[in-house]
Amino acid sequence: DAGVTQSPTHLIKTRGQQVTLRCSPKSGHDTVSWYQQALGQGPQFIFQYYEEEERQRGNFPDRFSGHQFPNYSSELNVNALLLGDSALYLCASSLEVRLLYNEQFFGPGTRLTVL
Amino acid sequence: AQSVTQLGSHVSVSEGALVLLRCNYSSSVPPYLFWYVQYPNQGLQLLLKYTTGATLVKGINGFEAEFKKSETSFHLTKPSAHMSDAAEYFCAVSGTGNQFYFGTGTSLTVIP
């Protein structure tokens, strides 16, 4: 079992650019959540996808958008990058039917640097 | 609404000493509580979790935590620190739909 995988590992962009981050959930999982972890901070919830739809969203602007594909993999898109978007972006996967057990598995993250 | 507060952003202990990392939570519903560990340049690894049942929860690597509803606490302990325990530790509470709310983290340093 490969666990949650994310790509790329590192990314450097400049202000105003757009970026796409990718996540493959743990085998058998159907729900994907994205978190932003700024340096020295705890992860902050961005949004969650289930059945290819955004189900929940944290306090993030519309510049942050996502997508979930039929194979449950997911993308996080950030437009008009700001310096403050520099962070580690974590993907977590879970199984909808096991929500009560709150089992969530995290990937290694993508480190985004905005210059 | 759910939130957690981790007391102490940095904790240093000697190798072999007791590790105590503090976490207090706020939740409008019965909480599900978690401790995660993060090593440099890595993602989060689940140490332990409390959902229902026994209030003393045992996790991996010798860590345990006790859910105390009266104190709204979920402190993480380990009887004897090892050098490999040096990492960042996050307490989290889950909300509706499996959304997690994390604390700001506690950096644990183990002194040889």
Side-chain angles (χ1 to χ4, degrees), chain A residues 4 14 16 44 64 70 76 86 90:
Chain A
V4 181
T14 57
Q44 299 290 317
F64 289 78
L76 164 65
S86 295
L90 297 166

Side-chain angles (χ1 to χ4, degrees), chain A residues 35 37 40-43 45 48 55-56 88 90 94 99-104 106-108 111, chain B residues 32 34 36 38 41-44 49 51 90 94-105:
Chain A
Y35 292 80
Q37 185 180 13
Q41 300 296 316
F45 176 74
Q48 183 181 87
R55 180 164 63 178
Q56 291 190 86
L88 179 69
L90 297 166
S94 53
L99 272 182
L100 285 177
Y101 297 89
N102 279 257
E103 294 174 344
Q104 194 160 152
F106 284 80
R111 174 73 63 186
Chain B
Y32 290 170
F34 306 80
Y36 282 86
Q38 185 176 37
N41 300 314
Q42 294 188 26
L44 301 174
K49 66 179 180 180
T51 53
F90 292 95
S94 67
T96 56
N98 217 18
Q99 173 181 338
F100 280 31
Y101 298 88
F102 287 87
T104 53

Side-chain angles (χ1 to χ4, degrees), chain B residues 17-35:
Chain B
L18 171 72
V19 176
L20 171 61
L21 304 182
R22 301 178 186 273
C23 173
N24 288 90
Y25 70 90
S26 173
S27 179
S28 56
V29 297
Y32 290 170
L33 296 158
F34 306 80
W35 275 100

Side-chain angles (χ1 to χ4, degrees), chain B residues 8-110:
Chain B
S9 58
H10 294 87
V11 171
S12 294
V13 300
S14 297
E15 190 174 16
L18 171 72
V19 176
L20 171 61
L21 304 182
R22 301 178 186 273
C23 173
N24 288 90
Y25 70 90
S26 173
S27 179
S28 56
V29 297
Y32 290 170
L33 296 158
F34 306 80
W35 275 100
Y36 282 86
V37 61
Q38 185 176 37
Y39 297 99
N41 300 314
Q42 294 188 26
L44 301 174
Q45 180 183 4
L46 179 66
L47 278 176
L48 49 81
K49 66 179 180 180
Y50 168 79
T51 53
T52 59
T55 56
L56 182 62
V57 181
K58 295 186 183 298
I60 62 172
N61 301 337
F63 284 94
E64 62 182 36
E66 187 171 10
F67 171 64
K68 292 187 176 180
K69 184 178 179 180
S70 61
E71 299 177 8
T72 61
S73 69
F74 190 58
H75 301 331
L76 181 71
T77 61
K78 182 174 180 178
S80 178
H82 191 272
M83 295 298 295
S84 61
D85 295 327
E88 190 83 16
Y89 291 81
F90 292 95
C91 181
V93 63
S94 67
T96 56
N98 217 18
Q99 173 181 338
F100 280 31
Y101 298 88
F102 287 87
T104 53
T106 297
S107 177
L108 176 65
T109 300
V110 182

